[in-house]
Amino acid sequence: MRLVRAAKGAGRVPAVEVMVSTALIRDYIINEEKTYMMREAIAAGTSQYGMQTFDQSLFHLFQSGMISMEEALHNASNADEFRMRVSGILSAEQAMNSVAPENASTNSQPREEIFVKH
């Protein structure tokens, strides 16, 4: 968590990275050669597990008007990638994470979602 300057006023807003200890995350922690893949697993686990990367948190804070673009870029892990995301351009990795389930590397079957209206 980092406190970043609020867009309005003199306050600060928390930007938070959230990681849930899923089986995949535990595997990445145990196997050091896979540790670099944790960031992508966190990004992919947003809808299913409520995880988010620090940059995803900054993006939501920026979209909601709580922080300025300048503050978001100053605090982003990758400012160029953040700029692209704001303009609607996703990296190949982000695009894959937005459509693939967390365990896509171990499950080659496409995931079918069923929505039920009550």
Side-chain angles (χ1 to χ4, degrees), residues 3 16 19 21 31 34 39 42 50 59 73 77 86 88 94 115 117:
L3 294 174
V16 181
M19 180 176 69
S21 180
N31 298 302
K34 295 180 180 180
R39 181 175 178 265
I42 294 169
F59 182 74
L73 290 172
S77 301
V86 168
Q94 290 170 329
F115 296 94
K117 185 174 181 180

Side-chain angles (χ1 to χ4, degrees), residues 34-98:
K34 295 180 180 180
T35 301
Y36 75 94
M37 297 176 359
M38 283 190 349
R39 181 175 178 265
E40 290 80 26
I42 294 169
T46 299
S47 62
Q48 189 173 8
Y49 298 107
M51 294 192 271
Q52 72 178 5
T53 65
F54 187 72
D55 286 358
Q56 285 172 324
S57 178
L58 289 172
F59 182 74
H60 293 298
L61 291 171
F62 169 71
Q63 276 192 319
S64 67
M66 296 181 77
I67 64 172
S68 68
M69 174 66 110
E70 180 182 315
E71 189 67 13
L73 290 172
H74 176 72
N75 286 282
S77 301
N78 184 328
D80 291 331
E81 190 176 289
F82 190 88
R83 258 190 218 94
M84 288 180 10
R85 183 168 185 186
V86 168
S87 66
I89 301 169
L90 297 178
S91 69
E93 176 184 301
Q94 290 170 329
M96 290 302 294
N97 287 341
S98 70

